[in-house]
Amino acid sequence: LEKCWDQGWLRYHLVQDQERLKEYNQLFTQIVLMKEGSAAGLVDESSILSSAVKELEQGIKQMVGTKPSIDAEVKLDGFIWLATFEQIEAALSDERMASRATELQNPVPEQDIRVSMDEIEALKKRQKSTDGYVLESFLFRGKKGLLLLANSESGLLYAAFHLLRLVQMEQSLDGLKIVESPKNQLRMLNHWDNMDGSIERGYAGQSIFFERNRFVADKGRIKDYARLLSSVGINAITINNVNVHAVETKLITSEYLAEVGQVASIFRRYGVQLFLSINYASPIQLGDLDTADPLDERVKLWWKEKIKEVYDVIPDFGGVLVKADSEHRPGPFTYNRTHADGANMLAEALRPYGGIVLWRCFVYNCMQDWRDRRTDRARAAYDHFQPLDGQFADNVVLQIKNGPMDFQVREPVSPLFGSMPNTNQILEFQITQEYTGQQKHVCYLLPQWKEILGFDTYAKGKGTLVQDIMSGDTYGYRYSGITAVANVGADSNWTGHTLAQANLYGYGRLIWNTTLSSETIADEWIRLTLTADKYAVQLIKQMLLDSWSIYEQYTSPLGVGWMVNPEHHYGPNVDGYEYSVWGTYHYADHQGVGVNRTKKNGTGYTEQYHTENAQLFEALGSCPDELLLFFHHVSYTHVLHSGKTVIQHIYDTHFEGAECAHQLLVQWLTLEDKIEPVIFEHVKGRLIEQSEHAKEWCDRINSYFYRKSGIADTQNRLIY
Ligand code: GCU
């Protein structure tokens, strides 16, 4: 295991601008916590509040070079006052009483107390925003300072991180007034880590949690990870793979529970709740029963006792994530039960403790005969789950991948969003770059995620966006939000490619506030992590913003997916998945390419959308170019909206994409004296590989389609 690691975007390097440094110096003299007792005993060491205070101390020490005192009352100019709404209300009313009593001698003007009660009231009312906070410049008893105000300690921790972010970006804190409240209730990460230390689809080294079928002994790195996650608002995590193998099945037994508990308490201090992926067949696998039938009383009892055992050790355990009847994993189908039967049984066991079941909808026939054109994998999730709307317990949340297939470079949005008003849902993204360059290629995914979240489902008429369904606003879901497969491993930079850190950072920032732009998020990450140099920030930002579309250009034309090498999924192989059992075909022949998913004479997948989208995708004339081959089989000479033929589009985008990938390298090379040498060299190495590999993609794909179609490139470029 790597014994050292960088601090990601929490580097906290010394503020460079001298004026700013002076300002901060005067502003951060005192941290005020409203607790009785001596300064030393002000906070319980294991509390989230203590994490907030420690983070402020560390950040201020490193960025400003000072050490604020910790006190129970405002004494000096330059205080940072952390308080819950209750505490501040009490303090302010005391203050008013006191001021009335001493009015004549020593008046405290009403406007001196400049906290905006209206906004606080509004924030308090929104039940799900227990994580929200106010951060504002504040005048108290004639002393100037900052007030960090929240409903809960996690809100205070988020406020502290926000303040530190502003300092790291060297922004003025004059007249500050920030009111934040997260868009999503569940802001989650799913690790696909195995206990042997490997990570399924991991591209950043071994697991930071496990090695050789044990937990890692030194958990220091897990704490730093918790800090990184909390700093961008993540509040829930699963630490083990959705494919729960033999050893991992035992995570819910006495053999491992104590250590699961230790990890849970590290995360707890940063407001991150721990969940586990479980094996649906645990009662059998652990040797207790001969069945996992969800309607069998013995099975129900087994899970009730098991869940109690877990809560005895981890009182705030979040719940379980389940991949059932999916890619050979066990599930309720074995017993002719529905997924509602399966999920509800677990939900009953979790209910007494407030736990939830995250039940994945990635259920499809993975033993398909490629000659069978009626079965369409894209249809599967909707066909399985939509008819069950309303049958799930209220502490079950269906976990749905963003698209109907599997995290391809480009897919339409899953039609399940907006089709199950009576069932809690959570959307699953993939941060780990399985199909998007495996953290060897740079692929900043924020633009993709923003498109998905901004997609109009028309479920309740125009303007029913995915992001409002996931936030629970559209249907008033009891539980909902967003989750994603993590891209983190034990590499010293956490994510393999340093630029892939931007995806982890950006994921958290975006699901907290879906109105942030990809550009703003990139800008923040670069300045926090790499450099404040204007030229460099601008250049790297543009590289990131262009990277997904560049990757799409040289890999996946017009919404066709799966042209990758089987199993590991890296590198081009046009027919790699064509004649396989996975339901992943593009049907290219000498005349044309693409999958006919129309209602008219295809698989009928388009019908799963609400009318406006169904019509949009159904008609060749309106189907967007970038999804054309996902929905239609067309000839190579079909003319796109862009005016080009399909075949010419394939040639052009591949040549252009490969050239743009090379330009990314050329651009990076201009940053040599502006980026820390280790990072500069590392990224340069990755960009060299990307540039060469993009050329290979270009050649293979162009040659394949040239040989299939026999149609020449109008520009006569070299195609083998
Ligand atoms: C993809 C991925 C698998 C993963 C699966 C899932 O198929 O390649 O490694 O297990 O998704 O999401 O369950």
Side-chain angles (χ1 to χ4, degrees), residues 1 60 82 158 190 194 261 269 277 286 298 313 362 435 446 459 469 496 510 530 615-616:
L1 269 190
I60 292 169
L82 282 77
Y158 296 139
N190 296 152
N194 301 313
R269 289 174 196 180
S277 301
L286 293 175
R298 291 168 302 157
V313 180
F362 188 55
Y435 296 96
L446 273 288
I469 297 171
L510 179 68
L530 296 178
Q615 286 171 354
L616 178 83

Side-chain angles (χ1 to χ4, degrees), residues 306-318:
K306 181 50 72 188
I307 295 295
K308 177 175 183 306
E309 208 182 319
V310 175
Y311 278 92
D312 282 347
V313 180
I314 311 165
D316 59 348
F317 180 64

Side-chain angles (χ1 to χ4, degrees), residues 553-555 557 650-658 697-698 701-702:
Q553 280 193 301
Y554 61 76
T555 60
I650 293 177
Y651 297 150
D652 288 353
T653 50
H654 283 80
F655 283 119
E656 277 162 32
W697 270 98
C698 166
I701 292 198
N702 282 347

Side-chain angles (χ1 to χ4, degrees), residues 192 200-201 243 323 327 360 362 401 406 434 569:
W192 285 359
E200 183 152 332
R201 312 308 177 190
N243 296 313
K323 173 175 177 177
E327 301 184 328
R360 293 177 91 228
F362 188 55
K401 290 192 182 188
D406 190 11
E434 178 175 2
H569 301 166

Side-chain angles (χ1 to χ4, degrees), residues 159-282:
F161 276 120
H162 193 140
L163 175 61
L164 293 169
R165 186 160 71 230
L166 297 177
V167 173
Q168 187 69 102
M169 295 199 294
E170 309 196 1
Q171 297 191 359
S172 168
L173 302 177
D174 199 35
L176 206 61
K177 179 169 200 159
I178 291 165
V179 180
E180 283 277 338
S181 169
K183 172 85 172 169
N184 290 290
Q185 179 195 152
L186 278 165
R187 303 179 299 277
M188 190 165 197
L189 272 183
N190 296 152
H191 275 258
W192 285 359
D193 295 22
N194 301 313
M195 290 195 71
D196 64 4
S198 65
I199 302 179
E200 183 152 332
R201 312 308 177 190
Y203 311 106
Q206 296 287 99
S207 171
I208 59 167
F209 298 113
F210 310 114
E211 59 185 342
R212 294 188 296 270
N213 291 334
R214 313 267 353 146
F215 277 88
V216 293
D218 177 359
K219 304 203 172 44
R221 185 158 186 174
I222 301 178
K223 179 181 161 212
D224 274 349
Y225 188 45
R227 292 173 52 230
L228 284 169
L229 298 190
S230 164
S231 74
V232 291
I234 306 270
N235 67 355
I237 192 166
T238 54
I239 55 173
N240 65 308
N241 191 355
V242 286
N243 296 313
V244 185
H245 307 297
V247 187
E248 295 79 6
T249 301
K250 293 196 271 182
L251 280 169
I252 50 172
T253 67
S254 54
E255 192 174 339
Y256 291 111
L257 262 180
E259 258 188 309
V260 177
Q262 279 177 29
V263 173
S265 48
I266 297 173
F267 280 115
R268 177 182 307 120
R269 289 174 196 180
Y270 288 90
V272 181
Q273 203 179 14
L274 189 103
F275 291 65
L276 288 174
S277 301
I278 56 137
N279 180 343
Y280 193 77
S282 296

Side-chain angles (χ1 to χ4, degrees), residues 5-283:
W5 54 90
D6 73 33
Q7 293 294 316
W9 50 89
L10 298 179
R11 278 182 168 72
Y12 297 147
H13 48 75
L14 189 66
V15 168
Q16 297 300 302
D17 181 324
Q18 292 310 305
E19 279 304 299
R20 210 44 105 218
L21 194 59
K22 230 171 92 192
E23 177 191 336
Y24 294 155
N25 234 309
Q26 289 162 0
L27 263 175
F28 305 145
T29 55
Q30 189 196 6
I31 294 175
V32 180
L33 303 166
M34 300 184 60
K35 284 269 171 83
E36 301 300 318
S38 70
L42 281 179
V43 277
D44 161 9
E45 283 289 303
S46 67
S47 67
I48 299 176
L49 185 60
S50 154
S51 304
V53 173
K54 283 187 197 141
E55 200 66 33
L56 285 170
E57 286 183 303
Q58 183 183 342
I60 292 169
K61 182 168 163 230
Q62 289 176 224
M63 294 188 285
V64 186
T66 57
K67 189 177 187 328
S69 63
I70 298 186
D71 304 302
E73 58 183 339
V74 171
K75 291 180 186 158
L76 307 162
D77 268 328
F79 61 84
I80 303 174
W81 185 356
L82 282 77
T84 60
F85 292 115
E86 273 171 23
Q87 289 172 336
I88 200 80
E89 273 164 356
L92 293 186
S93 64
D94 284 356
E95 192 63 21
R96 287 195 189 105
M97 303 264 283
S99 85
R100 240 169 262 132
T102 56
E103 218 158 13
L104 291 173
Q105 297 97 334
N106 185 18
V108 177
E110 191 70 7
Q111 66 268 29
D112 212 23
I113 299 162
R114 272 207 304 141
V115 71
S116 34
M117 281 315 202
D118 292 353
E119 276 163 30
I120 293 173
E121 279 306 315
L123 196 62
K124 266 174 68 181
K125 274 193 198 116
R126 293 190 58 193
Q127 195 248 330
K128 75 175 175 190
S129 61
T130 49
D131 290 344
Y133 57 86
V134 178
L135 173 54
E136 82 176 318
S137 303
F138 193 54
L139 203 60
F140 189 75
R141 292 188 191 156
K143 304 270 184 280
K144 277 196 273 180
L146 291 170
L147 180 64
L148 277 58
L149 194 59
N151 261 326
S152 65
E153 293 195 0
S154 12
L156 291 175
L157 178 61
Y158 296 139
F161 276 120
H162 193 140
L163 175 61
L164 293 169
R165 186 160 71 230
L166 297 177
V167 173
Q168 187 69 102
M169 295 199 294
E170 309 196 1
Q171 297 191 359
S172 168
L173 302 177
D174 199 35
L176 206 61
K177 179 169 200 159
I178 291 165
V179 180
E180 283 277 338
S181 169
K183 172 85 172 169
N184 290 290
Q185 179 195 152
L186 278 165
R187 303 179 299 277
M188 190 165 197
L189 272 183
N190 296 152
H191 275 258
W192 285 359
D193 295 22
N194 301 313
M195 290 195 71
D196 64 4
S198 65
I199 302 179
E200 183 152 332
R201 312 308 177 190
Y203 311 106
Q206 296 287 99
S207 171
I208 59 167
F209 298 113
F210 310 114
E211 59 185 342
R212 294 188 296 270
N213 291 334
R214 313 267 353 146
F215 277 88
V216 293
D218 177 359
K219 304 203 172 44
R221 185 158 186 174
I222 301 178
K223 179 181 161 212
D224 274 349
Y225 188 45
R227 292 173 52 230
L228 284 169
L229 298 190
S230 164
S231 74
V232 291
I234 306 270
N235 67 355
I237 192 166
T238 54
I239 55 173
N240 65 308
N241 191 355
V242 286
N243 296 313
V244 185
H245 307 297
V247 187
E248 295 79 6
T249 301
K250 293 196 271 182
L251 280 169
I252 50 172
T253 67
S254 54
E255 192 174 339
Y256 291 111
L257 262 180
E259 258 188 309
V260 177
Q262 279 177 29
V263 173
S265 48
I266 297 173
F267 280 115
R268 177 182 307 120
R269 289 174 196 180
Y270 288 90
V272 181
Q273 203 179 14
L274 189 103
F275 291 65
L276 288 174
S277 301
I278 56 137
N279 180 343
Y280 193 77
S282 296

